[in-house]
């Protein structure tokens, strides 16, 4: 197998590195609080309202119970899940969301770099705004990322995504 890292991606290189086969979508464990991206999206909530780090940091971040209660202090506050959320926020408890997408520890991914380049959240996360329950439905494999970079004429240099110990 020809190494494709550290050189511009060519049509030959794209077919030489295959990586692992992913069977998508991949379901994940239930979230600690039932959450529908579809309902929130229809209510006008944008990705960056809850994942505000995406334009400022490497990690987009996940909302805290207190952050959720900024809206839910008045919206749907009679629902059992929101009452549970309210109680958690009052106690200062941590909302332990189940991660849907996560790259391996040896991979560096910066949300701020991608949103700063005008990339849409749906490119890597799929049609989240249409989902009541999320599953990993878009591959974040190396070949998918490299192909995306190639399509956008962005470098595929190894050091952009990997710490080479230099």
């Amino acid at each position: 197998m020809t190494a494709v890292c550290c050189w511009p991606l060519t049509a030959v290189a794209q077919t030489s590195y295959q990586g692992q086969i992913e069977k998508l979508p991949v379901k994940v464990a239930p979230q600690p609080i039932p959450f529908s991206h579809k309902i929130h999206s229809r209510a006008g909530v944008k990705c960056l309202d809850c994942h505000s780090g995406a334009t400022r940091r490497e990690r987009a971040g996940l909302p805290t119970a207190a952050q959720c209660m900024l809206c839910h202090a008045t919206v749907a506050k009679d629902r059992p899940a929101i009452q549970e959320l309210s109680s958690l926020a009052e106690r200062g408890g941590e909302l332990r969301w189940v991660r849907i997408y996560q790259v391996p520890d040896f991979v560096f991914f910066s949300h701020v770099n991608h949103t700063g380049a005008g990339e849409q959240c749906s490119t890597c996360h799929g049609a989240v705004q249409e989902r009541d329950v999320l599953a990993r439905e878009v591959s974040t494999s190396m070949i998918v990322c490299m192909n995306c970079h190639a399509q956008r004429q962005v470098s595929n240099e190894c050091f952009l995504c990997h710490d080479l110990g230099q």
Side-chain angles (χ1 to χ4, degrees):
M1 184 178 300
T2 306
V4 295
C5 187
C6 304
W7 292 279
L9 193 61
T10 65
V12 173
Q14 282 179 307
T15 58
S16 66
Y17 176 80
Q18 296 300 315
Q20 291 182 322
I21 305 275
E22 288 181 276
K23 293 181 182 177
L24 298 170
V26 175
K27 292 183 179 185
V28 297
Q31 296 295 345
I33 299 288
F35 183 87
S36 169
H37 282 85
K38 185 178 192 177
I39 290 171
H40 285 79
S41 178
R42 285 184 179 165
V45 178
K46 306 291 182 211
C47 299
L48 296 176
D49 293 337
C50 299
H51 305 284
S52 59
T55 60
R56 300 187 320 266
R57 299 187 308 260
E58 293 167 11
R59 291 182 170 220
L62 298 168
T64 64
Q67 186 179 357
C68 295
M69 290 310 298
L70 293 174
C71 294
H72 283 294
T74 58
V75 176
K77 64 183 184 178
D78 59 327
R79 294 190 180 153
I82 303 304
Q83 291 173 345
E84 184 180 337
L85 182 66
S86 177
S87 176
L88 183 66
E90 287 172 8
R91 293 190 319 268
E94 185 179 337
L95 192 49
R96 297 180 189 266
W97 294 110
V98 175
R99 297 279 302 269
I100 308 294
Y101 288 92
Q102 188 168 4
V103 295
D105 290 341
F106 57 85
V107 175
F108 169 78
F109 178 88
S110 172
H111 279 87
V112 69
N113 288 352
H114 287 80
T115 57
E119 204 55 61
Q120 299 299 307
C121 302
S122 59
T123 302
C124 299
H125 297 285
V128 170
Q129 72 282 359
E130 298 173 11
R131 308 290 183 249
D132 283 315
V133 177
L134 293 187
R136 189 171 62 238
E137 60 184 80
V138 177
S139 176
T140 56
S141 69
M142 183 169 135
I143 194 66
V144 168
C145 293
M146 291 181 77
N147 287 342
C148 186
H149 273 220
Q151 289 170 356
R152 289 158 177 76
Q153 298 181 344
V154 177
S155 176
N156 268 311
E157 295 287 335
C158 295
F159 65 84
L160 292 175
C161 304
H162 300 282
D163 179 6
L164 301 176
Q166 298 175 354

